[in-house]
Amino acid sequence: MKSTGMVRMVDHLGRIVLPIEIRKTMDIKEKDPIEIYTDDNKIILMKYHPACVFCSNADNVVYFNGKRICEDCLKKIKTQL
């Protein structure tokens, strides 16, 4: 995990503002859905991609190196290696 050195306060409604530098780097735009995970004492935010990053198929999607990939595309990747 990489530290950005940026600190933000939680407001009275429990909100935080993601710095513009992070939004640009992660290609997060206004109204983009964000997934929230917890891992021990960490909160992890990820841009939500419900479908395969290659073909947009939302069926039989698995995680591979932090990306959502359908089983068909995963098989194609394996055969090309």
Side-chain angles (χ1 to χ4, degrees):
M1 193 174 338
K2 183 173 130 184
S3 175
T4 64
M6 297 178 205
V7 176
R8 295 293 184 261
M9 302 297 286
V10 177
D11 74 8
H12 69 283
L13 294 175
R15 299 176 295 196
I16 60 167
V17 174
L18 298 176
I20 188 123
E21 297 89 356
I22 292 175
R23 287 183 278 145
K24 284 181 180 179
T25 300
M26 303 302 294
D27 192 31
I28 297 172
K29 298 184 177 44
E30 186 177 327
K31 305 282 186 184
D32 281 349
I34 302 293
E35 284 187 278
I36 303 169
Y37 298 91
T38 59
D39 182 18
D40 295 325
N41 64 343
K42 297 177 191 90
I43 299 170
I44 301 163
L45 304 175
M46 291 179 61
K47 188 172 178 178
Y48 180 64
H49 295 283
C52 176
V53 295
F54 296 112
C55 70
S56 299
N57 180 5
D59 297 326
N60 301 317
V61 176
V62 297
Y63 276 100
F64 179 75
N65 286 346
K67 304 290 183 193
R68 293 177 199 258
I69 302 176
C70 72
E71 290 181 2
D72 292 337
C73 288
L74 189 56
K75 287 176 187 173
K76 289 177 187 175
I77 291 170
K78 287 179 180 179
T79 60
Q80 293 181 3
L81 295 178

